[in-house]
Amino acid sequence: MGVQKSTVIFAWILLLPAVLYVMAIVAYPLVDTFILSFTDASLRKTTNWVGWINYEKIFNATFAEVIFRTFIWTFFSVSIKMIIGTFGATMLNAAVPGRALFRLLTMPPWIVPMAIGIFMWGWMYNGQFGMISGLLQRSGLVNGPVAFLAYGSTAFWATIITDVWIGVPLVTIYFLAAIQSIPKDLYEAAWTDGAGRFYRFRRITLPLMVPAIITMSMLSLIATFNSFDIIWILTQGGPSGQTTTMIIDTYQTAIGSKKYGEGAARAVLICIFLSLFCFAYFRVTRRLNPEKRA
């Protein structure tokens, strides 16, 4: 009994640095933000306790549109990355000459500093001297310059395309590792039975990739939901707020308008949404794992 108790104490001593790190870096700012969300903290006034007023201000038609836009932006960005990543990993796994070079060529969007990559896309979206507008005019599809970032509908999809371009390489490499971990015997047995490539992909590759797809979808969802750089550099939430997501709205409220209490309430709401996503993820992975379910 004494030996077991000493082992537990020793284990907690080893965990103490990690616990202190989590408390200092994660727990304290989270609790402080939660408390701040119940105040009217700003740059010009003394801080007063206002209760649920900041949360009541959130629930209006304008912020409802922001929430809806955030979910749509996240859904399409993550879905497209998962589809392209799955297809790309399957192609990169094929036994073709030069596939090592093809794998290497998938990495530049992820290797290039994000800000540089986003500025590059901003240049291509420019209506006067952008490459995309120029190609469309030369092909005869449009009669004049197309300023993609000047209109809400095109700006929204432009930010999604940029996010997909940045995120696809990591998804592809992750899925490629998942595919290569599948036992080759399964493919050989299916090939011996006369199964075609599509059948092998549908019955072997895709089902065994499900855990990797769920994990990467969750990680990509959190990163995309919290994505700030892409939208801010390209549009700063414009035009007319058509690309404003929850993280952009939180920044504009807390930093732009100096309304720290209201910004904190928005940050808490983001944390709640992501916590629900994580809870759903753990429930799904638990059901997929027979040992944990038992």
Side-chain angles (χ1 to χ4, degrees):
M1 189 69 179
V3 175
Q4 184 179 4
K5 184 177 180 180
S6 61
T7 303
V8 172
I9 294 175
F10 181 68
W12 275 108
I13 292 175
L14 294 178
L15 289 173
L16 185 60
V19 172
L20 293 176
Y21 173 81
V22 171
M23 293 294 292
I25 304 300
V26 179
Y28 173 74
L30 188 62
V31 172
D32 186 63
T33 300
F34 182 73
I35 295 174
L36 188 66
S37 68
F38 292 96
T39 68
D40 62 352
S42 66
L43 190 64
R44 301 180 181 87
K45 299 190 303 182
T46 57
T47 302
N48 299 306
W49 187 267
V50 295
W52 295 94
I53 292 179
N54 291 330
Y55 290 94
E56 293 174 359
K57 291 180 180 179
I58 289 178
F59 296 103
N60 53 55
T62 302
F63 195 72
E65 292 180 3
V66 172
I67 296 176
F68 179 74
R69 187 182 302 115
T70 303
F71 277 92
I72 294 297
W73 193 82
T74 303
F75 172 78
F76 279 105
S77 295
V78 174
S79 299
I80 296 172
K81 280 185 279 189
M82 295 303 107
I83 294 172
I84 297 178
T86 302
F87 178 78
T90 304
M91 295 297 100
L92 291 177
N93 189 58
V96 295
R99 63 177 179 176
L101 176 61
F102 294 144
R103 293 176 183 177
L104 183 63
L105 293 176
T106 62
M107 298 308 294
W110 193 46
I111 295 174
V112 172
M114 183 177 293
I116 295 177
I118 298 171
F119 276 117
M120 179 192 71
W121 277 99
W123 171 80
M124 290 195 296
Y125 289 140
N126 188 279
Q128 298 298 323
F129 52 82
M131 183 183 70
I132 300 177
S133 178
L135 290 175
L136 290 175
Q137 292 180 71
R138 290 185 179 182
S139 63
L141 295 175
V142 296
N143 296 323
V146 181
F148 292 95
L149 301 180
Y151 305 97
S153 58
T154 53
F156 180 81
W157 290 103
T159 57
I160 289 179
I161 292 172
T162 305
D163 181 72
V164 169
W165 181 82
I166 292 174
V168 158
L170 177 61
V171 176
T172 302
I173 296 302
Y174 187 85
F175 285 171
L176 178 61
I179 292 176
Q180 291 183 333
S181 66
I182 299 174
K184 303 299 181 184
D185 297 344
L186 298 177
Y187 292 105
E188 294 175 358
W191 181 79
T192 303
D193 291 339
R197 290 185 178 180
F198 179 74
Y199 184 88
R200 295 197 298 269
F201 174 78
R202 186 166 59 91
R203 292 293 187 178
I204 299 176
T205 305
L206 202 56
L208 294 179
M209 282 182 62
V210 168
I213 291 174
I214 293 176
T215 300
M216 179 50 66
S217 298
M218 189 64 215
L219 295 175
S220 180
L221 185 148
I222 294 174
T224 304
F225 199 92
N226 282 323
S227 180
F228 175 83
D229 312 64
I230 295 173
I231 296 177
W232 187 255
I233 293 177
L234 289 178
T235 65
Q236 294 188 4
S240 302
Q242 293 301 305
T243 58
T244 298
T245 58
M246 291 181 68
I247 195 70
I248 298 295
D249 182 72
T250 300
Y251 176 83
Q252 290 174 336
T253 302
I255 306 301
S257 301
K258 304 297 187 298
K259 298 178 181 178
Y260 305 126
E262 294 183 25
R266 285 164 165 76
V268 170
L269 189 61
I270 292 175
C271 184
I272 291 174
F273 279 134
L274 292 179
S275 298
L276 292 175
F277 292 149
C278 292
F279 175 77
Y281 163 73
F282 287 121
R283 288 294 300 270
V284 171
T285 52
R286 186 178 182 86
R287 290 188 177 185
L288 290 175
N289 191 329
E291 295 179 359
K292 292 184 178 180
R293 188 168 64 246

